Amino acid sequence: MVNCKMVHEMIRVYDLERSLKFYDEALGMKESRRIDKPEGKFTLVYLKDGESDFELELTYNYDPEEPYDLGTGYGHIAVYVDDLELARKEHEEAGYTVGPFKGLTEGVKEYYFLTDPDGYQIEVMQRK
């Protein structure tokens, strides 16, 4: 079998600037590169977390008529944080949509979900 390395996850965004602001402020993800294709009426912006090679690709199609329907196939992306409770508090105080603490073991706070401006779910987990 072929070995592979995860490279990026692509999501379509309705408002590119709003999404860039969210991923920078909420998760510290920074633009690593951008590909503008005016002839194809789209822009691709790649974000990195500063720790790994993995990128989140934001695809912006010029002038979408309405926000994208996420459907039932999308699950979530996941990130680690050093202090789960502090991160959740900061996300709440910033006015982001934040879910309750959850855990695979009853009574243990292991993660929560943060929702981006387009409705994509981000699992925020305690770094171990």
Side-chain angles (χ1 to χ4, degrees):
M1 283 301 221
V2 174
N3 289 326
C4 70
K5 176 183 177 180
M6 296 291 291
V7 179
H8 71 258
E9 164 82 17
M10 183 278 280
I11 59 174
R12 286 181 172 77
V13 299
Y14 181 70
D15 180 328
L16 182 58
E17 294 309 313
R18 178 183 71 173
S19 293
L20 288 170
K21 184 176 192 268
F22 171 83
Y23 281 98
D24 180 29
E25 292 178 0
L27 300 172
M29 297 181 80
K30 305 292 184 199
E31 182 173 330
S32 60
R33 59 193 171 107
R34 180 183 291 235
I35 300 170
D36 288 309
K37 292 290 187 178
E39 68 280 4
K41 298 185 178 179
F42 68 90
T43 297
L44 308 176
V45 178
Y46 295 85
L47 306 177
K48 292 185 93 172
D49 61 15
E51 291 189 33
S52 68
D53 293 331
F54 187 82
E55 294 177 307
L56 178 62
E57 174 189 331
L58 305 181
T59 296
Y60 173 70
N61 295 303
Y62 297 0
D63 302 317
E65 293 181 18
E66 57 187 44
Y68 293 99
D69 177 5
L70 302 185
T72 58
Y74 177 81
H76 64 270
I77 60 174
V79 299
Y80 282 131
V81 296
D82 290 325
D83 187 328
L84 188 67
E85 292 195 23
L86 178 61
R88 186 173 182 280
K89 180 179 183 231
E90 289 176 350
H91 287 150
E92 282 184 321
E93 289 173 354
Y96 300 129
T97 302
V98 179
F101 285 116
K102 295 185 176 193
L104 299 178
T105 305
E106 190 173 330
V108 177
K109 297 176 184 176
E110 295 175 308
Y111 63 92
Y112 64 90
F113 283 97
L114 174 66
T115 304
D116 90 347
D118 290 284
Y120 293 106
Q121 296 288 297
I122 302 152
E123 182 180 7
V124 180
M125 301 183 299
Q126 177 68 49
R127 186 183 314 266
K128 296 180 181 182

